[in-house]
Amino acid sequence: MAQASDEAAAYDPASGPPKAFAQCSICHSAEPGKNMIGPSLAGIYGEKAGDVEGFNFSPAMMKSGLVWDDETLDAYIENPRKVVPGTRMSYAGMKNPEMRQQIIEYIKSL
Ligand code: HEC
């Protein structure tokens, strides 16, 4: 029984946020309308970057022209400053692709 790796591969968003989301939840909530240091991540999947109501985004994010899908989220979470130079998100990036994938599945479910 290879429990640990099976659990990582078989992440189900219905069971709640993946462990890796702890790195995001210091600044982001998953509740609609609850902006913290970062914008709420509820409902952003499929939407334009920099478009969460009531959040003061950087000019860089608002002008990025990005739409959040698997590809753009993956690239941004891996290296925020490379994808959006000038972003106000002070996060170095998540290098582990499996963890990024779980977070994307979670964001999609919100
Ligand atoms: C230190 C606080 C902080 C941490 C940690 C952080 N973020 Fe952010 N995040 C922000 C801020 C601030 C913004 C707004 C950036 C801007 O306007 O340039 C943002 C923006 C975003 C956006 C764009 C939202 C939109 O609607 O355009 C996404 C997606 C995002 N963060 C995901 C994540 C994920 C996933 C993690 C964890 C891997 C994470 N962030 C960790 C502060 C943080």
Short mmCIF file of all heavy atoms in Angstrom, two decimals, residues 20-28 37-41 44 47-52 55-62 68 73 76-77 84 86-91 93-94 103 107, ligand 1:
data_model
loop_
_atom_site.label_atom_id
_atom_site.label_comp_id
_atom_site.label_asym_id
_atom_site.label_seq_id
_atom_site.Cartn_x
_atom_site.Cartn_y
_atom_site.Cartn_z
N ALA A 20 -1.15 21.90 0.16
CA ALA A 20 -0.30 22.95 -0.39
C ALA A 20 -0.98 24.31 -0.36
O ALA A 20 -0.32 25.35 -0.39
CB ALA A 20 0.10 22.61 -1.83
N PHE A 21 -2.30 24.33 -0.27
CA PHE A 21 -3.01 25.61 -0.27
C PHE A 21 -2.72 26.42 0.99
O PHE A 21 -2.97 27.63 1.03
CB PHE A 21 -4.52 25.39 -0.43
CG PHE A 21 -5.28 26.66 -0.74
CD1 PHE A 21 -5.18 27.27 -1.99
CD2 PHE A 21 -6.08 27.27 0.22
CE1 PHE A 21 -5.86 28.45 -2.27
CE2 PHE A 21 -6.78 28.45 -0.05
CZ PHE A 21 -6.66 29.04 -1.30
N ALA A 22 -2.17 25.77 2.02
CA ALA A 22 -1.78 26.49 3.23
C ALA A 22 -0.82 27.64 2.89
O ALA A 22 -0.82 28.67 3.56
CB ALA A 22 -1.15 25.54 4.23
N GLN A 23 -0.04 27.47 1.85
CA GLN A 23 0.90 28.53 1.43
C GLN A 23 0.16 29.73 0.85
O GLN A 23 0.71 30.82 0.74
CB GLN A 23 1.88 28.00 0.38
CG GLN A 23 2.84 26.97 0.94
CD GLN A 23 3.84 26.51 -0.12
OE1 GLN A 23 4.26 27.27 -0.98
NE2 GLN A 23 4.20 25.24 -0.08
N CYS A 24 -1.05 29.51 0.39
CA CYS A 24 -1.83 30.58 -0.25
C CYS A 24 -2.80 31.22 0.73
O CYS A 24 -3.10 32.41 0.64
CB CYS A 24 -2.64 30.02 -1.42
SG CYS A 24 -1.77 28.78 -2.40
N SER A 25 -3.30 30.39 1.68
CA SER A 25 -4.41 30.86 2.51
C SER A 25 -3.99 31.91 3.53
O SER A 25 -4.86 32.51 4.16
CB SER A 25 -5.10 29.68 3.19
OG SER A 25 -4.19 28.95 3.95
N ILE A 26 -2.69 32.15 3.70
CA ILE A 26 -2.29 33.29 4.53
C ILE A 26 -2.73 34.60 3.87
O ILE A 26 -2.96 35.58 4.55
CB ILE A 26 -0.76 33.38 4.80
CG1 ILE A 26 0.06 32.62 3.77
CG2 ILE A 26 -0.41 32.97 6.21
CD1 ILE A 26 1.56 32.86 3.90
N CYS A 27 -2.83 34.60 2.56
CA CYS A 27 -3.20 35.84 1.85
C CYS A 27 -4.53 35.74 1.10
O CYS A 27 -5.08 36.76 0.70
CB CYS A 27 -2.13 36.22 0.84
SG CYS A 27 -0.54 36.64 1.59
N HIS A 28 -5.00 34.52 0.82
CA HIS A 28 -6.19 34.34 0.00
C HIS A 28 -7.27 33.54 0.72
O HIS A 28 -6.97 32.49 1.28
CB HIS A 28 -5.86 33.56 -1.28
CG HIS A 28 -5.01 34.31 -2.25
ND1 HIS A 28 -5.50 35.32 -3.05
CD2 HIS A 28 -3.70 34.18 -2.58
CE1 HIS A 28 -4.52 35.77 -3.83
NE2 HIS A 28 -3.42 35.11 -3.56
N ILE A 37 -5.05 39.97 2.13
CA ILE A 37 -3.90 40.65 1.51
C ILE A 37 -3.99 40.44 0.00
O ILE A 37 -3.62 41.29 -0.80
CB ILE A 37 -2.58 40.07 2.06
CG1 ILE A 37 -2.46 40.43 3.54
CG2 ILE A 37 -1.38 40.60 1.28
CD1 ILE A 37 -1.32 39.75 4.26
N GLY A 38 -4.51 39.30 -0.39
CA GLY A 38 -4.78 39.01 -1.80
C GLY A 38 -6.29 38.90 -2.01
O GLY A 38 -7.05 38.80 -1.03
N PRO A 39 -6.71 38.90 -3.28
CA PRO A 39 -8.15 38.80 -3.58
C PRO A 39 -8.70 37.42 -3.24
O PRO A 39 -7.95 36.45 -3.21
CB PRO A 39 -8.19 39.03 -5.10
CG PRO A 39 -6.85 38.58 -5.59
CD PRO A 39 -5.88 38.95 -4.50
N SER A 40 -10.00 37.34 -2.98
CA SER A 40 -10.65 36.04 -2.85
C SER A 40 -10.43 35.26 -4.13
O SER A 40 -10.48 35.83 -5.23
CB SER A 40 -12.15 36.23 -2.62
OG SER A 40 -12.82 35.00 -2.83
N LEU A 41 -10.19 33.96 -4.01
CA LEU A 41 -9.98 33.15 -5.22
C LEU A 41 -11.27 32.47 -5.68
O LEU A 41 -11.26 31.71 -6.65
CB LEU A 41 -8.87 32.10 -4.97
CG LEU A 41 -7.48 32.70 -4.68
CD1 LEU A 41 -6.45 31.58 -4.47
CD2 LEU A 41 -7.01 33.63 -5.80
N ILE A 44 -12.69 32.80 -9.67
CA ILE A 44 -11.77 33.46 -10.62
C ILE A 44 -11.49 32.59 -11.84
O ILE A 44 -11.09 33.10 -12.88
CB ILE A 44 -10.42 33.86 -9.98
CG1 ILE A 44 -9.63 32.64 -9.52
CG2 ILE A 44 -10.61 34.86 -8.85
CD1 ILE A 44 -8.14 32.90 -9.46
N GLU A 47 -12.14 33.60 -15.51
CA GLU A 47 -12.32 35.06 -15.53
C GLU A 47 -11.02 35.77 -15.90
O GLU A 47 -9.94 35.19 -15.85
CB GLU A 47 -12.77 35.55 -14.14
CG GLU A 47 -14.11 35.01 -13.69
CD GLU A 47 -15.26 35.52 -14.55
OE1 GLU A 47 -15.22 36.67 -15.02
OE2 GLU A 47 -16.22 34.74 -14.75
N LYS A 48 -11.17 37.06 -16.19
CA LYS A 48 -10.00 37.88 -16.50
C LYS A 48 -9.18 38.12 -15.23
O LYS A 48 -9.75 38.27 -14.14
CB LYS A 48 -10.44 39.25 -17.01
CG LYS A 48 -10.80 39.27 -18.48
CD LYS A 48 -11.06 40.69 -18.95
CE LYS A 48 -12.13 41.37 -18.12
NZ LYS A 48 -12.58 42.66 -18.61
N ALA A 49 -7.88 38.22 -15.37
CA ALA A 49 -7.01 38.57 -14.24
C ALA A 49 -7.33 39.98 -13.78
O ALA A 49 -7.69 40.84 -14.58
CB ALA A 49 -5.55 38.46 -14.65
N GLY A 50 -7.21 40.20 -12.47
CA GLY A 50 -7.37 41.54 -11.93
C GLY A 50 -8.80 42.04 -11.92
O GLY A 50 -9.04 43.24 -11.99
N ASP A 51 -9.76 41.15 -11.81
CA ASP A 51 -11.16 41.55 -11.95
C ASP A 51 -12.02 41.19 -10.73
O ASP A 51 -13.24 41.15 -10.84
CB ASP A 51 -11.72 40.88 -13.21
CG ASP A 51 -12.83 41.71 -13.84
OD1 ASP A 51 -12.84 42.94 -13.65
OD2 ASP A 51 -13.70 41.12 -14.52
N VAL A 52 -11.41 40.94 -9.57
CA VAL A 52 -12.21 40.62 -8.38
C VAL A 52 -12.72 41.92 -7.75
O VAL A 52 -11.93 42.84 -7.49
CB VAL A 52 -11.38 39.82 -7.35
CG1 VAL A 52 -12.16 39.62 -6.05
CG2 VAL A 52 -10.97 38.48 -7.93
N PHE A 55 -11.16 44.58 -4.84
CA PHE A 55 -9.74 44.38 -4.56
C PHE A 55 -8.91 45.34 -5.40
O PHE A 55 -9.15 45.51 -6.60
CB PHE A 55 -9.30 42.93 -4.83
CG PHE A 55 -7.89 42.69 -4.37
CD1 PHE A 55 -7.62 42.44 -3.04
CD2 PHE A 55 -6.82 42.77 -5.27
CE1 PHE A 55 -6.31 42.26 -2.60
CE2 PHE A 55 -5.51 42.61 -4.83
CZ PHE A 55 -5.26 42.34 -3.49
N ASN A 56 -7.91 45.93 -4.74
CA ASN A 56 -7.06 46.91 -5.39
C ASN A 56 -5.86 46.22 -6.05
O ASN A 56 -4.82 46.05 -5.44
CB ASN A 56 -6.61 47.91 -4.31
CG ASN A 56 -5.85 49.07 -4.90
OD1 ASN A 56 -5.93 49.36 -6.10
ND2 ASN A 56 -5.09 49.74 -4.05
N PHE A 57 -6.03 45.81 -7.30
CA PHE A 57 -4.97 45.08 -8.01
C PHE A 57 -3.86 46.03 -8.47
O PHE A 57 -4.08 47.24 -8.63
CB PHE A 57 -5.55 44.39 -9.25
CG PHE A 57 -6.32 43.14 -8.94
CD1 PHE A 57 -7.70 43.18 -8.82
CD2 PHE A 57 -5.67 41.92 -8.78
CE1 PHE A 57 -8.43 42.03 -8.54
CE2 PHE A 57 -6.38 40.77 -8.50
CZ PHE A 57 -7.76 40.82 -8.38
N SER A 58 -2.70 45.46 -8.72
CA SER A 58 -1.61 46.24 -9.30
C SER A 58 -1.97 46.57 -10.74
O SER A 58 -2.67 45.81 -11.41
CB SER A 58 -0.31 45.42 -9.27
OG SER A 58 -0.45 44.27 -10.10
N PRO A 59 -1.44 47.70 -11.26
CA PRO A 59 -1.64 48.01 -12.67
C PRO A 59 -1.13 46.87 -13.55
O PRO A 59 -1.73 46.55 -14.58
CB PRO A 59 -0.79 49.28 -12.88
CG PRO A 59 -0.65 49.89 -11.52
CD PRO A 59 -0.70 48.74 -10.54
N ALA A 60 -0.04 46.22 -13.11
CA ALA A 60 0.54 45.12 -13.90
C ALA A 60 -0.47 44.00 -14.08
O ALA A 60 -0.62 43.45 -15.18
CB ALA A 60 1.80 44.60 -13.20
N MET A 61 -1.18 43.65 -13.00
CA MET A 61 -2.15 42.55 -13.10
C MET A 61 -3.33 42.96 -13.97
O MET A 61 -3.79 42.21 -14.81
CB MET A 61 -2.63 42.16 -11.69
CG MET A 61 -3.57 40.98 -11.66
SD MET A 61 -2.83 39.46 -12.32
CE MET A 61 -2.03 38.82 -10.84
N MET A 62 -3.79 44.20 -13.80
CA MET A 62 -4.97 44.63 -14.57
C MET A 62 -4.66 44.73 -16.06
O MET A 62 -5.53 44.53 -16.88
CB MET A 62 -5.50 45.95 -14.02
CG MET A 62 -6.14 45.74 -12.64
SD MET A 62 -7.00 47.19 -12.03
CE MET A 62 -5.64 48.30 -11.72
N TRP A 68 -7.78 33.34 -16.43
CA TRP A 68 -7.31 32.24 -15.58
C TRP A 68 -7.87 30.90 -16.04
O TRP A 68 -9.04 30.60 -15.87
CB TRP A 68 -7.66 32.49 -14.10
CG TRP A 68 -6.97 33.69 -13.55
CD1 TRP A 68 -7.55 34.77 -12.96
CD2 TRP A 68 -5.55 33.94 -13.52
NE1 TRP A 68 -6.58 35.68 -12.58
CE2 TRP A 68 -5.36 35.20 -12.91
CE3 TRP A 68 -4.42 33.25 -13.96
CZ2 TRP A 68 -4.09 35.77 -12.72
CZ3 TRP A 68 -3.17 33.81 -13.76
CH2 TRP A 68 -3.02 35.05 -13.16
N LEU A 73 -2.88 29.73 -14.80
CA LEU A 73 -2.74 29.56 -13.35
C LEU A 73 -1.46 28.79 -13.03
O LEU A 73 -0.71 29.16 -12.13
CB LEU A 73 -3.95 28.80 -12.76
CG LEU A 73 -5.21 29.63 -12.52
CD1 LEU A 73 -6.36 28.72 -12.13
CD2 LEU A 73 -4.99 30.69 -11.43
N TYR A 76 1.50 31.10 -13.46
CA TYR A 76 1.54 32.18 -12.45
C TYR A 76 1.92 31.64 -11.07
O TYR A 76 2.72 32.24 -10.36
CB TYR A 76 0.18 32.89 -12.38
CG TYR A 76 0.16 34.08 -11.45
CD1 TYR A 76 0.92 35.21 -11.71
CD2 TYR A 76 -0.64 34.07 -10.31
CE1 TYR A 76 0.90 36.31 -10.85
CE2 TYR A 76 -0.68 35.17 -9.45
CZ TYR A 76 0.09 36.28 -9.72
OH TYR A 76 0.07 37.36 -8.87
N ILE A 77 1.34 30.49 -10.70
CA ILE A 77 1.64 29.92 -9.37
C ILE A 77 3.10 29.45 -9.32
O ILE A 77 3.75 29.54 -8.30
CB ILE A 77 0.66 28.77 -9.04
CG1 ILE A 77 -0.77 29.31 -8.96
CG2 ILE A 77 1.03 28.11 -7.71
CD1 ILE A 77 -1.84 28.23 -8.92
N VAL A 84 3.67 37.86 -14.51
CA VAL A 84 3.14 39.22 -14.37
C VAL A 84 4.21 40.09 -13.71
O VAL A 84 4.19 40.31 -12.50
CB VAL A 84 1.83 39.24 -13.55
CG1 VAL A 84 1.25 40.66 -13.49
CG2 VAL A 84 0.80 38.29 -14.12
N GLY A 86 5.91 42.90 -12.02
CA GLY A 86 5.30 44.04 -11.33
C GLY A 86 4.10 43.63 -10.48
O GLY A 86 3.47 44.48 -9.86
N THR A 87 3.78 42.32 -10.44
CA THR A 87 2.65 41.89 -9.59
C THR A 87 2.95 42.19 -8.12
O THR A 87 4.11 42.17 -7.70
CB THR A 87 2.35 40.39 -9.75
OG1 THR A 87 1.24 40.05 -8.90
CG2 THR A 87 3.53 39.50 -9.34
N ARG A 88 1.87 42.48 -7.37
CA ARG A 88 2.03 42.74 -5.94
C ARG A 88 1.99 41.47 -5.11
O ARG A 88 2.02 41.53 -3.90
CB ARG A 88 0.91 43.66 -5.46
CG ARG A 88 1.17 45.08 -5.82
CD ARG A 88 0.25 46.02 -5.04
NE ARG A 88 0.27 47.31 -5.71
CZ ARG A 88 -0.79 47.92 -6.21
NH1 ARG A 88 -1.98 47.36 -6.09
NH2 ARG A 88 -0.68 49.06 -6.82
N MET A 89 1.86 40.33 -5.75
CA MET A 89 1.80 39.09 -4.97
C MET A 89 3.22 38.71 -4.56
O MET A 89 4.03 38.32 -5.38
CB MET A 89 1.15 37.98 -5.81
CG MET A 89 1.23 36.61 -5.20
SD MET A 89 -0.13 35.58 -5.78
CE MET A 89 0.71 34.05 -6.11
N SER A 90 3.52 38.86 -3.24
CA SER A 90 4.86 38.55 -2.76
C SER A 90 4.94 37.08 -2.43
O SER A 90 4.85 36.69 -1.28
CB SER A 90 5.23 39.32 -1.51
OG SER A 90 4.54 40.52 -1.45
N TYR A 91 5.07 36.29 -3.46
CA TYR A 91 5.16 34.83 -3.28
C TYR A 91 6.16 34.34 -4.31
O TYR A 91 6.05 34.66 -5.48
CB TYR A 91 3.77 34.22 -3.50
CG TYR A 91 3.76 32.71 -3.42
CD1 TYR A 91 3.90 32.06 -2.20
CD2 TYR A 91 3.64 31.95 -4.58
CE1 TYR A 91 3.91 30.69 -2.13
CE2 TYR A 91 3.65 30.56 -4.52
CZ TYR A 91 3.78 29.94 -3.28
OH TYR A 91 3.80 28.57 -3.21
N GLY A 93 6.84 31.38 -5.52
CA GLY A 93 6.44 30.41 -6.53
C GLY A 93 6.48 28.99 -5.99
O GLY A 93 7.23 28.70 -5.06
N MET A 94 5.63 28.14 -6.56
CA MET A 94 5.55 26.75 -6.12
C MET A 94 6.14 25.86 -7.21
O MET A 94 5.65 25.85 -8.32
CB MET A 94 4.09 26.39 -5.87
CG MET A 94 3.90 24.99 -5.34
SD MET A 94 2.20 24.71 -4.86
CE MET A 94 2.10 25.62 -3.32
N ILE A 103 -3.85 22.56 -6.50
CA ILE A 103 -4.37 23.89 -6.20
C ILE A 103 -5.27 24.39 -7.32
O ILE A 103 -6.32 24.98 -7.08
CB ILE A 103 -3.19 24.87 -5.93
CG1 ILE A 103 -2.56 24.52 -4.58
CG2 ILE A 103 -3.65 26.32 -5.96
CD1 ILE A 103 -1.35 25.33 -4.22
N ILE A 107 -9.08 25.58 -7.00
CA ILE A 107 -9.57 26.90 -7.44
C ILE A 107 -10.74 26.73 -8.42
O ILE A 107 -11.73 27.46 -8.35
CB ILE A 107 -8.41 27.72 -8.09
CG1 ILE A 107 -7.41 28.13 -7.01
CG2 ILE A 107 -8.95 28.95 -8.81
CD1 ILE A 107 -6.17 28.88 -7.53
C1 HEC B 1 1.96 37.19 0.63
C2 HEC B 1 0.59 37.12 0.16
C3 HEC B 1 0.24 36.14 -0.95
C4 HEC B 1 0.51 34.80 -1.02
C5 HEC B 1 1.30 33.94 -0.05
C6 HEC B 1 -0.14 34.32 -2.23
N1 HEC B 1 -0.75 35.36 -2.88
FE1 HEC B 1 -1.82 35.26 -4.62
N2 HEC B 1 -2.03 37.28 -4.63
C7 HEC B 1 -1.60 38.13 -3.63
C8 HEC B 1 -1.83 39.50 -4.05
C9 HEC B 1 -1.48 40.76 -3.26
C10 HEC B 1 -2.43 39.43 -5.33
C11 HEC B 1 -2.80 40.60 -6.25
C12 HEC B 1 -1.60 40.76 -7.18
C13 HEC B 1 -1.59 42.00 -8.05
O1 HEC B 1 -2.53 42.79 -8.03
O2 HEC B 1 -0.59 42.13 -8.78
C14 HEC B 1 -2.56 38.01 -5.66
C15 HEC B 1 -3.13 37.53 -6.82
C16 HEC B 1 -3.35 36.19 -7.09
C17 HEC B 1 -4.08 35.68 -8.23
C18 HEC B 1 -4.75 36.51 -9.32
C19 HEC B 1 -6.20 36.74 -8.94
C20 HEC B 1 -6.98 37.49 -9.98
O3 HEC B 1 -8.22 37.48 -9.89
O4 HEC B 1 -6.42 38.08 -10.91
C21 HEC B 1 -4.07 34.32 -8.14
C22 HEC B 1 -4.69 33.33 -9.09
C23 HEC B 1 -3.34 33.99 -6.94
N3 HEC B 1 -2.92 35.14 -6.33
C24 HEC B 1 -3.12 32.70 -6.50
C25 HEC B 1 -2.30 32.36 -5.42
C26 HEC B 1 -2.00 31.00 -5.04
C27 HEC B 1 -2.56 29.77 -5.70
C28 HEC B 1 -1.13 31.08 -3.97
C29 HEC B 1 -0.47 29.94 -3.24
C30 HEC B 1 0.35 29.06 -4.05
C31 HEC B 1 -0.92 32.50 -3.67
N4 HEC B 1 -1.64 33.24 -4.58
C32 HEC B 1 -0.14 33.01 -2.64
C33 HEC B 1 -1.01 37.77 -2.45
C34 HEC B 1 -0.54 36.49 -2.13
#
